[in-house]
Amino acid sequence: MAIMAFNQIFNYLKDKSILITSHNLVDLDGFVSSVLLDFFLRDFNHNYNVNIYFSGISKNTLDFMNNFITIFPDFKYEILDKINLSEFDIIIILDTNNLDLLDYLNEHNRDYPFIFIDHHLNLEKKYTMNLESYNIIFDEYTSTAEIIFEIFDFYDVLLPLPYRYLLASAILTDSGFLKYANSKTIMHMSKILQEEIEYQDVIGLFNTFTDVSEKIAKIKGLQRVELFRVEEWLIGISHVSSFGSIIASMLINIGFDISIVYSKVKSEFRISTRANKEICSKTGLHLGKLLNEIGNGTGGGHEGAASLNAEINIENFLKTLLKQIKKILIKKQPL
Ligand SMILES: [Mn+2]
């Protein structure tokens, strides 16, 4: 990759006070990339003056890090809990090249110079304070973590085990557990894991604790599901007392094209619906619009996921909903 780019950036950063940050509610890729870049700049006799700050950390990232710390209890990293931008000379923004995704910085855009290191499509937005010549934006990479890994690789640094677990995990989440990986991703993974790290041990870090009531809801949701077939499409209707949206998503994962799950909450019903991408794109089904129509304007959501809270007669409601869905599916059924 861009060998020059690294040398240039690191020369430029010398003797500067550096802030590393990422998009709002940072995900695992942004988080891990930040922790590793911080490690690189701080250690290996580099002694850069560097700090990390995020405006919020996603729940998945926090869950993951909780698991990670139980396996590597001595692992240390520091993240500022508040920030005074005027203390920094330069900001490195990881995992986005869109300031709209950085609320706290967006407001101060005109005041602080920054660099992007990112793997998303280069939006080529013109920001006055972006030091564009130092940007590293490669959209052929499936994660920012891979770009960061190449820095260590380029300087021939063998990373300690915990950092390699982190990199591998960030690559997994951003590549949909390698579903969207390319050959380069696999090569990076192989260099990161080498022989010491067992791939299944990395996967194990993503196991999250599931509450017993959620497990029961899933099982009951499955036991109660009714199957309706319209042409080649499969619709599942079920009911549970809680976790309706999780059950609706689960039914799609199992193989239903559309799922409808209802729960009684006091005097109201809560209806959660899901549909897979294929049925939406082939038939024009839009669950958000549909629930909005049938629920008299109280529903909302996207084409493939929508919910509604309403005081309704549930039998009548389901009949109407199913009838409307059938109309859409039969009308637009592909040849
Ligand atoms: Mn990413």
Side-chain angles (χ1 to χ4, degrees), residues 23 27 29-30 95 118-120 142-145 170 174:
H23 51 83
D27 62 7
D29 186 33
D95 203 35
D118 184 29
H119 70 112
H120 295 95
T142 54
S143 59
T144 303
D174 261 37

Side-chain angles (χ1 to χ4, degrees), residues 279-291:
I279 197 168
C280 295
S281 64
K282 283 192 177 162
T283 68
L285 174 75
H286 192 296
L287 291 172
K289 285 183 190 163
L290 199 56
L291 285 196

